Structure formats: structure tokens, C-alpha cells
Amino acid sequence: MNPVRTARVERVTRETQITVDLTLPCDAPARHHIDTPVPFLSHMLEALARHGAMQLEVRARGDTHIDDHHTVEDVGLVLGSAFDRALGPRLGIFRYGHFSLCMDEALVDVALDLGGRPYLVYDLPGVAGKRIGAFDCDLVREFYQAFAVQARLNLHIHQREGGNAHHLVEASFKGLARALRQACAPDPHVGVPSTKGTIG
């Protein structure tokens, strides 16, 4: 494994223009700079970077005059691609991560596997059909789906308690950050973290 795992990914379409620079958790001091036209998404990405102990820069522009869907989903795609590239062959990592995070009345469990097989189980019924300011909470699932596919990870997000949509979404992002921090951490006792001898 390289001493520093880093990646830059750019995506330019008629709908969005996005650049992500990422250095994985545990490889460098955490810092972030997030610039998107969706304020609540920016807030969540800042939480992801801070609690994930990662260096993260996101610069995004999109057709938010239509709605936020394309921008939120495409940021998930590009961020996931950056994680996939930075992880490389996924050697010498813990691979698995799990964190149960509370925020006032909200409690959200996040578990993940960096084993190369994308899958999302998303269970946040308390945010369905709601809005946080101008932000459509149904886009949270779109972000996680895009991220899981491009990062090639198995991601489970489950609401245990709570009803405040802001608390539930923020708990899920912070829980994801902490679970990624565990899974990306170097494991000196494992080469390829699979009995198959390969990831994927």
C-alpha cells in the first residue's frame, strides 16, 4: 500500500461540472474545502471529511435552477470514484467498518464492506418525503446509491431511533465517515483482506 492514498476525479456533463480531490483517512492530517451550489449537501460533505479524518476538496456546479438531483447524485458518483481510485488494490486494510452514531433523539447504524461488490441497503424512513430547508431529503438515497456503486462498497444504513430529518441525515453521514475511517485504516496483519486472495 502506498504511504499516501490519493485521487483526483473530474466529471463534466451538460448537467454538472464536478472535481473531487481526496486523500484517504489515516494518511494525512484532515482538512477540507467544499464548494457546491447545494448548501445542505456542502454541510454534510464537511461533516464527512471532518469525522472521516480525510483531506477532501469538492468543487461542483450544476443545473440547480431545475432542481438539485443531478448535482447531488453526480457528487456521489465522483466522490465514490475517487474513493475507488485512492484505495487502489485494497491491500492491507481492515476492509470492514461499523459505527452507531447518535444525534439528540436520532440513532443511525452504518456498516460497510470495502470488498469491491457494490450494494446499498438504505433504511431511513424518518426522512422520506421531507425537506430540510430547500433540500429534498429523497436525494440522500440517490447520493448513497451513487457513492456505493462507484466506490464499490457494500453499504448498510439503518435508522434505529429518531424523527428529526436533519438529525437523521447528519447522523448517517457522520456514521459513514467513522465507518470509512475504520475500514480504510491499515491492517498490518493482512495483505489481501479476503480468503479468495482477491477483492471483488
Side-chain angles (χ1 to χ4, degrees):
M1 180 166 42
N2 293 330
V4 176
R5 299 164 293 172
T6 188
R8 165 177 278 206
V9 178
E10 296 181 270
R11 175 184 170 93
V12 177
T13 72
R14 292 179 179 178
E15 298 168 342
T16 62
Q17 304 83 46
I18 298 165
T19 302
V20 169
D21 289 283
L22 171 70
T23 300
L24 285 182
C26 307
D27 289 348
R31 67 170 187 265
H32 62 270
H33 177 75
I34 311 297
D35 179 15
T36 88
V38 184
F40 186 73
L41 174 64
S42 297
H43 179 46
M44 293 300 98
L45 294 175
E46 289 168 356
L48 184 71
R50 173 81 61 177
H51 291 271
M54 64 187 76
Q55 291 185 358
L56 178 63
E57 294 188 20
V58 178
R59 294 171 295 283
R61 293 294 177 265
D63 56 358
T64 52
H65 60 284
I66 297 174
D67 71 8
D68 294 342
H69 188 286
H70 295 145
T71 301
V72 173
E73 182 178 33
D74 285 4
V75 168
L77 290 171
V78 179
L79 182 60
S81 295
F83 261 91
D84 184 44
R85 291 188 191 181
L87 283 166
R90 308 189 182 207
L91 302 178
I93 59 173
F94 274 99
R95 175 177 166 178
Y96 298 100
H98 173 264
F99 207 87
S100 184
L101 194 135
C102 59
M103 188 170 184
D104 294 342
E105 89 298 342
L107 177 63
V108 176
D109 290 345
V110 178
L112 60 86
D113 171 15
L114 296 177
R117 294 159 58 120
Y119 200 89
L120 174 67
V121 176
Y122 176 84
D123 177 33
L124 290 180
V127 310
K130 293 185 178 180
R131 302 188 81 86
I132 300 170
F135 183 79
D136 179 1
C137 289
D138 289 343
L139 297 180
V140 175
R141 189 189 191 286
E142 301 302 320
F143 175 89
Y144 284 135
Q145 179 67 38
F147 178 75
V149 168
Q150 292 300 313
R152 297 193 302 122
L153 61 84
N154 184 344
L155 177 60
H156 286 244
I157 301 172
H158 294 278
Q159 174 183 336
R160 297 304 180 200
E161 297 289 345
N164 181 287
H166 190 142
H167 293 166
L168 287 166
V169 175
E170 188 162 347
S172 74
F173 269 84
K174 290 177 177 178
L176 173 62
R178 292 285 172 169
L180 283 169
R181 190 170 173 177
Q182 294 172 2
C184 292
D187 184 349
H189 304 294
V190 174
V192 178
S194 172
T195 55
K196 295 184 295 185
T198 185
I199 290 291

